[in-house]
Amino acid sequence: MTTAGADQGKRERPVLIGVTGNIACGKSTVMGMLGELGAELIDADAVYHELIAPHRPLWHALQARFGDAIVSSDGTIDRRALGAIVFADPAALAKLDRITHPAVITAIRDRVAGIQGRVVAVDAVKLIESGMAPLCDAVWLVTCDRAQQISRLVERNGLSRADAERRVAAQPPTDGKLSVVDVVIDNSGSMKRTRDQVVAAWNNLVPGTPPGAKADA
């Protein structure tokens, strides 16, 4: 990873911020704040959703590996059914990652290459595990209390508490990521506290870019 400096206006691509953190820690909140500051936003999960549209290459790869049980009657991948398989079996989750990560990374790199803005932020749960982190100029880790993660999953996703706890437990602890991230955003407190952290990190990475500016690269 490199730090954007005074010469970043001469860059051939935008400054790339990778935003990661475990499920329901508040990555979307931080991404929204980055968008307000002027970053172009890419959601890795949305990219993945597009890549698994019926009969696209990644759709075929998942159907071949996990079977017809993950395909809905309308031909789309049933992500709830797929999640029930992989979050209950670490080996299955690892296989899913090996299938999906390269395709998603390639698609994101293509999108970044086509963006004219000065800063791009990518939201990816497995930014580090997938091997995407070295592509970023800075990696931000969003954290929050475990109890908050579980409550958000229950309320937001309609999961039972047991399912929410299982999904949180299936992800690696954030402590193991601290040595490879540049910024930690603690989203356990108020929105103002989170925003203050985001603005400070933005100003350190992209000096001279006023909030809301989307200057051409």
Side-chain angles (χ1 to χ4, degrees):
M1 290 177 287
T2 60
T3 301
D7 294 332
Q8 68 182 21
K10 301 177 182 179
R11 296 169 63 94
E12 295 182 356
R13 65 163 179 81
V15 174
L16 182 58
I17 302 172
V19 179
T20 191
N22 283 353
I23 191 169
C25 277
K27 295 183 303 302
S28 295
T29 296
V30 170
M31 288 290 287
M33 293 174 181
L34 283 168
E36 292 171 0
L37 289 169
E40 301 284 350
L41 307 181
I42 297 176
D43 182 347
D45 190 60
V47 172
Y48 166 67
H49 190 70
E50 293 176 15
L51 293 176
I52 62 171
H55 307 296
R56 294 194 65 177
L58 190 54
W59 181 95
H60 283 291
L62 294 178
Q63 188 271 342
R65 175 60 189 83
F66 296 102
D68 292 335
I70 68 164
V71 180
S72 301
S73 58
D74 63 358
T76 60
I77 296 293
D78 183 338
R79 297 184 67 183
R80 185 178 289 269
L82 179 58
I85 294 171
V86 300
F87 284 113
D89 181 354
L93 181 59
K95 289 176 182 177
L96 174 66
D97 288 346
R98 286 196 295 270
I99 294 170
T100 59
H101 286 165
V104 173
I105 290 174
T106 296
I108 288 174
R109 291 184 72 169
D110 290 344
R111 293 192 184 198
V112 171
I115 289 175
Q116 298 301 312
R118 191 175 181 184
V119 183
V120 179
V122 177
D123 173 353
V125 172
K126 293 192 174 182
L127 184 94
I128 296 169
E129 296 86 346
S130 68
M132 199 187 309
L135 305 178
C136 301
D137 296 287
V139 175
W140 293 14
L141 175 65
V142 184
T143 65
C144 76
D145 294 335
R146 185 176 184 276
Q148 288 178 303
Q149 285 180 269
I150 294 169
S151 295
R152 289 171 182 169
L153 281 173
V154 170
E155 295 171 8
R156 184 188 72 190
N157 294 33
L159 299 177
S160 68
R161 185 170 185 82
D163 283 341
E165 290 176 346
R166 188 156 44 245
R167 293 205 175 194
V168 169
Q171 296 189 307
T174 56
D175 290 351
K177 302 177 182 180
L178 294 177
S179 63
V180 296
V181 304
D182 301 289
V183 174
V184 176
I185 305 292
D186 181 0
N187 190 40
S188 299
S190 67
M191 290 287 286
K192 181 183 184 305
R193 183 167 176 263
T194 298
R195 188 182 303 277
D196 287 347
Q197 295 173 75
V198 169
V199 171
W202 170 276
N203 289 337
N204 285 335
L205 180 65
V206 198
T209 300
K214 290 192 177 183
D216 291 340

